[in-house]
Amino acid sequence: MARAVALVVAAGRGSRFGGEHPKQWHALNGQPLLRHSLAAFAAHPDITEVRAVIHPDDLAFYEQAAAGLRLNSPLFGGATRQASVRSGLDGLSDCDPDWVLIHDGARPFIEQALISRVLKALPGNPGVIPALPLHDTLKRARDGVISETLPRDGLFRAQTPQAFHYQMIRDAHRAAAGREMTDDAAVFEAAGHAVRLIAGSEANVKITTREDLARADRASGKTLEPRMATGYDVHRFGPGDHVTLCNIKVPHHLGLEGHSDADAALHALTDALLGCIASGDIGRHFPPTDPRWKGADSALFLTYVTELLTAMGGRILHVDITIICERPKIGPYRAAMVERLAELLALPQGRVSVKATTTEGLGFTGRQEGIAAQAAATVLLPGH
Ligand code: MG
């Protein structure tokens, strides 16, 4: 599969925003502004790496904004936006991606669907940007008096992420060094390459002023919509002396086989939460081929997904897990499981349900070959 890296540019000093800290570190919906777009790209299953481009002075802010997200190390930018992108592109030379999506860190409402649209248009086009038609009439004015009304036919407002063939945009940026342009598409055009426009999104606004941030903050709290999704997982019995379910060790004369700790209940729940944010499945985010997850505590996976959801401005309302097995008996451990899940999810215990059932001796669970678990989750997410 083609490698597509997201380069999220956030090295600016925010002269139009004012204040003590650059705007990307101010809170939107309770999270640093930059975290929203980092989380959106991290959640997209077809983005292979997410790299932020920041100012070296902002490392502490960045670490706070990126905490818990699975990102590659940030890159340091330059004195202008263009210099920052150039330096970010140079920083990607080791991983040498096929495509790079350059995104403005000040556009926090980037949607999964828009990222998908950009990626989909890429193979046939070396440059793709989202854009929207202009609806307002354009006036040129001098000293507050209109000198001209401009035709708006064929005019578009450019957005980000702007996606390009990696080597081509890197060469174009090198060639354009010293000539300031307002976006990366302009750099690509200056090198003589065609750039395809695709439909942008009205939600994908850029935060420039304090008023923009305040408006976005007010709006984002009002449009939460409910989502529910389910997850299912099975692990086979193998040698051992306990099974781990809902992060609780349950003594048994067998263990569960798996690359991680084989906690089928947490895996099902993690998949349910990924389903709520339409972000693929657990295997996509934590490939069983990756040695990092060998023997891993599955609480890591669950915490990662709840962080993604929170960073997208969402919150969990309720989760429900059903564990399906003949043995071991789950009843004696149910309360501990609810308590542990409530702790991991930062939810009151009244919003966490753990149930168990047998299959009356039927099927693979009935034959005691393994344990199955299913989960449902309900969340609130900002609507678009
Ligand atoms: Mg599993």
Side-chain angles (χ1 to χ4, degrees):
M1 212 174 77
R3 294 171 54 80
V5 171
L7 197 64
V8 182
V9 187
R13 304 287 81 200
S15 51
R16 276 180 288 179
F17 192 80
E20 217 179 310
H21 313 307
K23 65 185 171 189
Q24 56 271 33
W25 314 119
H26 283 252
L28 169 66
N29 216 349
Q31 302 277 359
L33 182 63
L34 181 64
R35 185 176 178 87
H36 296 268
S37 48
L38 293 177
F41 284 102
H44 197 288
D46 296 330
I47 296 290
T48 41
E49 264 190 33
V50 183
R51 310 289 296 264
V53 183
I54 61 167
H55 190 282
D57 291 352
D58 292 351
L59 199 53
F61 285 122
Y62 170 80
E63 278 164 5
Q64 217 175 350
L69 296 175
R70 231 155 29 88
L71 306 174
N72 300 81
S73 54
L75 301 160
F76 293 132
T80 62
R81 186 191 182 280
Q82 204 170 311
S84 291
V85 173
R86 196 164 61 241
S87 144
L89 289 169
D90 287 342
L92 297 180
S93 60
D94 284 350
C95 81
D96 193 26
D98 301 298
W99 305 105
V100 59
L101 281 71
I102 304 170
H103 185 66
D104 223 319
R107 291 185 190 269
F109 301 114
I110 173 71
E111 302 147 307
Q112 302 290 301
L114 180 54
I115 299 173
S116 297
R117 282 207 294 282
V118 168
L119 288 170
K120 195 174 167 210
L122 271 176
N125 298 289
V128 172
I129 75 163
L132 290 170
L134 267 174
H135 298 304
D136 297 331
T137 299
L138 284 184
K139 304 289 187 189
R140 191 188 298 283
R142 279 190 199 91
D143 303 324
V145 178
I146 293 170
S147 58
E148 194 184 354
T149 296
L150 302 165
R152 68 184 176 198
D153 292 356
L155 289 183
F156 287 83
R157 295 176 283 147
Q159 297 188 326
T160 72
Q162 302 193 341
F164 307 95
H165 183 274
Y166 170 63
Q167 283 301 342
M168 288 169 78
I169 187 68
R170 193 180 175 201
D171 292 345
H173 260 285
R174 283 179 173 175
R179 283 178 295 146
E180 280 307 307
M181 300 182 203
T182 51
D183 72 353
D184 303 295
V187 170
F188 207 62
E189 293 156 43
H193 304 308
V195 181
R196 165 72 55 190
L197 294 186
I198 60 152
S201 158
E202 290 292 355
N204 185 26
V205 293
K206 183 171 178 176
I207 306 290
T208 303
T209 64
R210 274 172 186 277
E211 184 42 45
D212 293 340
L213 183 63
R215 195 184 309 116
D217 202 34
R218 284 194 302 271
S220 61
K222 279 180 193 157
T223 56
L224 294 178
E225 63 179 35
R227 300 263 189 102
M228 88 77 66
T230 64
Y232 178 76
D233 195 35
V234 171
H235 281 268
R236 177 194 293 274
F237 281 126
D241 59 6
H242 71 276
V243 298
T244 303
L245 292 166
C246 296
N247 212 231
I248 299 291
K249 279 188 178 178
V250 178
H252 192 48
H253 68 279
L254 297 169
L256 288 173
E257 291 179 356
H259 186 66
S260 64
D261 63 6
D263 189 333
L266 283 198
H267 295 179
L269 180 56
T270 302
D271 263 357
L273 290 168
L274 282 170
C276 289
I277 57 173
S279 178
D281 58 30
I282 191 168
R284 195 100 186 230
H285 288 268
F286 302 96
T289 48
D290 189 331
R292 273 182 302 172
W293 317 123
K294 186 161 172 49
D297 179 344
S298 296
L300 282 179
F301 308 153
L302 183 65
T303 306
Y304 174 71
V305 176
T306 54
E307 285 275 350
L308 277 183
L309 187 108
T310 312
M312 291 167 85
R315 66 188 170 92
I316 302 169
L317 288 180
H318 153 267
V319 300
D320 175 47
I321 293 176
T322 304
I323 299 167
I324 305 157
C325 61
E326 302 289 326
R327 291 278 186 282
K329 286 290 172 205
I330 303 302
Y333 302 92
R334 213 185 58 83
M337 289 174 177
V338 168
E339 193 181 331
R340 181 70 183 130
L341 283 176
E343 191 186 323
L344 286 172
L345 299 166
L347 283 179
Q349 290 187 23
R351 291 177 181 268
V352 176
S353 155
V354 175
K355 314 193 296 299
T357 185
T358 71
T359 51
E360 302 283 342
L362 299 172
F364 70 88
T365 52
R367 293 188 299 271
Q368 303 195 37
E369 293 165 1
I371 289 184
Q374 60 186 38
T378 316
V379 308
L380 287 178
L381 266 194
H384 294 294

